[in-house]
Every structure is written in C-alpha cells, then in structure tokens.
C-alpha cells in the first residue's frame, strides 16, 4: 500500500512513523512534511489546503490511503473532495468537521443530545456581549467560534479580562473571521483529560487517555497554545470515568450526528474537564491531538493502517485494537515568543545524541533544512517523546533528551506530567 500523510507538524511525524511500521505500507509520502519527516518519508511540497494538487499527486502516484492530519483541510472539505474523485482518505467530511470548525455548532449538538458541557451563550454583536458581561460573574471563558489554532479561547478571571477578550476576538479580529461569533461560557473547575476515539460512524473504539498542557508556562500560567506537552495514560481518568465518557459523551456525539444525517468517520477528539459532577466536554476536535498523538501512537500495538482502512470502509466493528501497557511523555520545545510572534531559522543541535537515548523519539513539529543543518521553522519546534514502565521514568528520559538539544531561544515547560505525579495515589486503575 502507498500512503500520503497531509500536514507538517509533530502529529504528522508521529503518524508517518507509526504508519511506516505497518507491513501493509510499502511507500509513504508526506505533504508538505518537515525536516524530521523527510528523514523517514518522501516529502512533497504541496500545501495541506491545495486539494487539487494533493488529489493529483495521489492519483498519479497510486496512493491507496491519504491521511489528513490537521483540522484546516478537514474543515475545508478535503474528505469530500477526495471521495468525489474516488480517492480513499482518512478523516471526516466537512459537515462532520464542523464539530471542531464551529464551537457554536458543537455546543448546539451537545445541548440537543444532552451531552454534558459548560453552559454558554452565543453573541454576534460585541456591544451585546459587553453588556452581558456587565451582568455576568467571573471567572468565565470567551471563545472564538471558528478555528484559531488552539489560541482563540481566553479564560477570564476578571471582568476587565473578559472585556479585553471580546475586544480582541470580535473587534480587533485577532483570529480573523473565526471571531465573528463568540461563545461566553461558564468556567468549569477540574482537571483536563483528552479522550480520542476511532469511529466509523457506528462503532466507537476509544483510545488510551492522555493529558495535554495547553498553557504556555509552568503551573498552567500564560496564554493558551496548541499544546506544550502531553503524557499517557492520565490517571485522572479512572476506568469508571472512562466508561462514562464512552456512554455519556462519545456514543451520543456520534449517534447525535447520525441523527442529523452526518456520518462521522475518523478520529474524534473529546477535550474534557473532569468536574465534581463528572466529565464535561470543553471542545471537540476532528483529528488526532497535537501533541496527544505523539504520546498515544507509541502505545498503539495494533496496525494503524489497518485500523484506518476499517474506519473508511465502515468495518471498525471487526477490528481488534490493543495497546502497550507503558507510559509515554512528550515535552514540546518551542521558539521564544510562541504563541505570540517568534523568529525562525535557528540552528538546532543535539538531535542525534537525543535520538540515540533509550526509549526516546524526537518528533519534529516546525523544522526545515537550512544549509545542511536542521533549523527551527515554526512556533512549536520539536515534540521530544519518551516511553518507560512508569510516568516518572518516561519524563526523566524525555527531559534528558530535551537537555541534550539546543537552539537559540528554545523554551519548554518543565512541569509536564506533574499533575499525574502529584496524585501519587498509586491508582493504576486507568486507561
Ligand atoms: P478549548 O480549545 O475549547 O479546549 O479551550 C482551550 C482551553 O481553555 C481548554 O483546554 C481549557 O484549559 C480552557 N477552557 C476552555 N473552556 C473552558 C471552560 N468552560 N472552563 C474552564 N476552562 C476552559
Ligand atoms: N492538543 C490540542 C489539540 O490538538 O487541539
């Protein structure tokens, strides 16, 4: 089988790395890829949103399976475009991708089908939003409706912060048209966890749990990013809670969509808050999380290519999926300034030494080759990932590798996984 992965981040590096291990996969390409992906796959310089270019490449190169990594092409309808041309693609159709592309669409679906989530109101007029804030209690959360690379959500502790958020999103349009509508939402207290699932629109198979670290700085301080690190499993998700996530959230989401005439095929991402009254949805994504993918795929024992084909063909019911019992951790090394403005082109050293360390995988997120060196080319630069028998061990391995790597302005969180370690309750009753 010949495979094309679309995208250029750490998630896509992990996807290519895992798909390559499948005995079914004979040749693998990535469009456009990055320097790390280029060392294990053929990178083709086609943009993830250039559907005509991607479909032409797939047709000319006898690609049997195209995998859409990021949300932007899915939200723009890459699955529909490929299906119309008889090309096989892993990822949901445009109507289904609205679950991520519009937080208002997702919220209405959850309300209609009784899926637990934060209470919220929708605003299209900044004056009305500001006038509502005058009567509301903080903390609360202001969210741009559309796609904003994980950055369009502002948790406001004070009224002034909430007003500034409305100003930035709706008036200054920091996230473009994504901010033409907003949600103002109840603040949910608790610990976050990510649950991903494979689904073909009928059968749902949840994956192992993971926890992202969205805030830029240690102790969850600073602005939201695309994700600064992750680990799996997340002990906050006990087996009981995992069952509840399946029956109270994942199943009604997929069956609710089906009742709306939408068949969801692909990976469904539920970003959850574990509150005192149980799990509630913070957001859906319509693809693997980044960096959650980097900690989940090294734990997947089964053949990812086989699972993806079963999803596309609506045959997931027959698929067995098994996992390694180990722990994984990923520390993202980012450019100075991220998630705000940052410089690129900084030479990265120490990659080879880090990659030789036991149990370490360095997934590239934003890198490019420059004069024979590997240099930074994005906000998130590397996802330094490791596995071990314990989380403590995985973290030690990951940070040892991080310390071996350097580039000018490199920044990373030094507290990845600490929430799990602090639990210290020896609760291994998790998934
Ligand atoms: P989202 O992209 O909607 O997942 O939001 C990004 C981050 O903002 C989440 O991972 C949470 O850390 C935080 N967040 C979003 N919604 C809420 C909420 N209702 N209550 C508390 N925190 C939230
Ligand atoms: N890590 C969060 C996301 O992929 O959206």
């Amino acid at each position: 089988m010949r495979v094309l992965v679309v995208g250029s981040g750490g998630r896509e590096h992990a996807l290519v790395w895992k798909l390559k291990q499948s005995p079914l996969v004979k040749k693998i390409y990535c469009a456009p890829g990055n320097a790390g992906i280029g060392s294990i796959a053929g990178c083709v310089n086609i943009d993830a949103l250039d559907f005509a270019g991607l479909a032409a490449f797939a047709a000319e190169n006898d690609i049997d399976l195209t995998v859409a990594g990021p949300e932007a092409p899915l939200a723009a309808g890459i699955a529909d475009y490929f299906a119309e041309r008889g090309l096989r693609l892993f990822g949901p159709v445009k109507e289904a991708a609205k679950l991520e592309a519009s937080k208002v669409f997702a919220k209405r679906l959850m309300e209609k089908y009784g899926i637990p989530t934060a209470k919220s109101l929708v605003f299209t007029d900044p004056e009305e939003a500001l006038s509502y804030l005058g009567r509301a209690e903080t903390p609360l959360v202001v969210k741009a409706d559309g796609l904003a690379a994980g950055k369009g959500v502002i948790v406001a502790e004070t009224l002034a912060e909430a007003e500034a958020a409305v100003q930035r999103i709706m008036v200054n349009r920091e996230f473009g048209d994504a901010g033409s509508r907003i949600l103002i939402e109840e603040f949910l207290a608790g610990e976050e966890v990510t649950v991903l699932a494979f689904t073909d629109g009928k059968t749902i198979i949840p994956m192992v749990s993971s926890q992202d670290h969205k805030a830029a700085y240690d102790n969850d301080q600073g602005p939201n990013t695309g994700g600064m690190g992750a680990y799996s499993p997340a002990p906050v998700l006990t087996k009981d809670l995992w069952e509840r996530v399946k029956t109270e959230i994942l199943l009604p989401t997929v069956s609710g969509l089906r009742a709306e005439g939408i068949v969801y095929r692909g990976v469904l991402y539920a970003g959850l808050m574990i509150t005192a009254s149980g799990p509630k949805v913070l957001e859906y994504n319509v693809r693997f999380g980044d960096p959650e993918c980097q900690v989940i795929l090294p734990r997947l024992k089964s053949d990812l290519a086989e699972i993806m084909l079963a999803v596309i063909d609506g045959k997931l019911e027959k698929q067995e999926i098994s996992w390694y019992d180990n722990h994984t951790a990923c520390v993202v090394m980012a450019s100075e300034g991220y998630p705000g403005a940052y410089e690129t082109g900084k030479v990265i050293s120490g990659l080879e030494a880090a990659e030789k360390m036991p149990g370490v995988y360095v997934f590239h997120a934003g890198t490019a080759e420059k004069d024979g060196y590997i240099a930074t080319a994005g906000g998130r630069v590397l996802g330094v990932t490791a596995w071990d028998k314990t989380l403590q061990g995985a973290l030690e391995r990951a940070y040892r590798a991080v310390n071996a790597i350097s580039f000018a302005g490199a920044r990373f969180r030094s507290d990845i996984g600490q929430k799990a370690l602090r639990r210290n309750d020896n609760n291994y009753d998790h998934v």
Side-chain angles (χ1 to χ4, degrees):
M1 194 160 81
R2 297 162 66 84
V3 177
L4 170 65
V5 174
V6 176
S8 60
R11 164 184 49 219
E12 287 73 30
H13 193 174
L15 284 166
V16 167
W17 169 84
K18 179 66 189 170
L19 285 164
K20 249 196 109 160
Q21 294 166 23
S22 164
L24 298 174
V25 175
K26 297 285 172 267
K27 179 82 195 163
I28 188 156
Y29 297 97
C30 188
N34 61 38
I37 297 173
S39 68
I40 56 170
C43 286
V44 278
N45 196 14
I46 308 172
D47 189 83
L49 289 170
D50 177 3
F51 296 171
L54 292 168
F57 179 85
E60 281 158 24
N61 291 278
D62 298 322
I63 299 294
D64 304 289
L65 168 67
T66 299
V67 179
E71 61 278 15
L74 291 164
I78 193 171
D80 312 67
Y81 191 93
F82 269 57
E84 282 157 19
R85 284 157 186 79
L87 297 163
R88 273 171 138 189
L89 182 133
F90 180 85
V93 292
K94 185 173 181 171
E95 275 297 300
K98 273 164 90 180
L99 215 48
E100 174 168 2
S102 168
K103 289 186 188 290
V104 174
F105 172 85
K107 190 64 80 174
R108 290 190 177 139
L109 186 94
M110 289 186 269
E111 283 165 357
K112 184 163 175 187
Y113 294 96
I115 298 161
T117 184
K119 288 194 205 67
S120 76
L121 292 169
V122 179
F123 295 93
T124 48
D125 174 13
E127 290 307 320
E128 281 176 25
L130 291 171
S131 126
Y132 167 74
L133 286 179
R135 296 174 265 129
E137 278 180 31
T138 52
L140 46 75
V141 186
V142 183
K143 298 185 170 187
D145 176 41
L147 295 180
K151 299 166 204 161
V153 172
I154 295 159
V155 178
E157 304 287 345
T158 63
L159 179 60
E161 280 171 28
E163 287 170 347
V166 170
Q167 178 75 28
R168 284 175 55 198
I169 298 174
M170 294 194 96
V171 183
N172 305 352
R173 289 295 173 94
E174 263 181 44
F175 309 104
D177 284 347
S180 57
R181 280 200 293 193
I182 61 164
L183 287 164
I184 298 182
E185 172 165 306
E186 167 200 12
F187 175 83
L188 298 176
E191 191 175 332
E192 289 183 56
V193 68
T194 301
V195 180
L196 302 171
F198 292 107
T199 177
D200 61 2
K202 301 184 300 255
T203 303
I204 297 168
I205 305 186
M207 303 182 213
V208 290
S209 65
S210 59
Q211 188 175 69
D212 189 8
H213 297 65
K214 290 229 167 75
Y217 314 126
D218 282 9
N219 300 314
D220 295 333
Q221 300 298 302
N224 266 328
T225 67
M228 293 299 291
Y231 62 91
S232 174
V236 61
L237 197 74
T238 59
K239 282 225 171 69
D240 285 350
L241 283 169
W242 190 76
E243 286 299 333
R244 285 184 65 181
V245 169
K246 188 167 174 180
T247 55
E248 294 173 20
I249 292 170
L250 299 171
L251 285 165
T253 302
V254 172
S255 63
L257 284 168
R258 207 170 50 227
E260 301 290 312
I262 301 168
V263 180
Y264 192 107
R265 287 189 173 156
V267 167
L268 175 63
Y269 171 126
L272 307 168
M273 188 69 88
I274 304 301
T275 71
S277 59
K280 295 190 179 181
V281 177
L282 294 174
E283 67 163 343
Y284 292 112
N285 292 324
V286 297
R287 32 105 194 143
F288 280 100
D290 186 343
E292 289 94 329
C293 186
Q294 291 89 312
V295 291
I296 286 177
L297 291 187
R299 296 192 58 206
L300 177 61
K301 213 186 262 180
S302 309
D303 182 335
L304 181 60
E306 201 180 291
I307 298 170
M308 287 180 161
L309 295 178
V311 165
I312 296 173
D313 296 341
K315 291 184 179 149
L316 195 58
E317 197 185 5
K318 299 198 182 76
Q319 193 70 36
E320 283 286 321
I321 300 186
S322 56
W323 301 91
Y324 293 108
D325 217 6
N326 54 21
H327 294 246
T328 46
C330 170
V331 180
V332 170
M333 297 182 77
S335 298
E336 187 173 5
Y338 175 79
Y342 53 83
E343 291 176 7
T344 58
K346 314 287 181 202
V347 172
I348 306 172
S349 61
L351 284 169
E352 275 181 30
E355 276 156 4
K356 278 196 203 113
M357 295 179 176
V360 170
Y361 320 97
V362 182
F363 294 121
H364 291 218
T367 65
E369 265 196 52
K370 185 184 153 194
D371 309 327
Y373 294 98
I374 292 181
T376 66
R380 291 191 289 177
V381 176
L382 300 168
V384 182
T385 306
W387 67 268
D388 204 347
K389 287 192 204 67
T390 62
L391 175 61
Q392 179 90 46
L395 287 165
E396 278 168 16
R397 285 177 161 183
Y399 277 108
R400 206 178 306 131
V402 164
N403 288 326
I405 298 172
S406 60
F407 56 88
R411 219 183 45 69
F412 55 88
R413 278 183 60 161
S414 58
D415 65 343
I416 302 303
Q418 290 304 311
K419 278 200 197 93
L421 293 182
R422 271 200 300 273
R423 287 189 163 258
N424 200 21
D425 52 7
N426 290 320
N427 170 17
Y428 284 102
D429 179 28
H430 55 254
V431 266

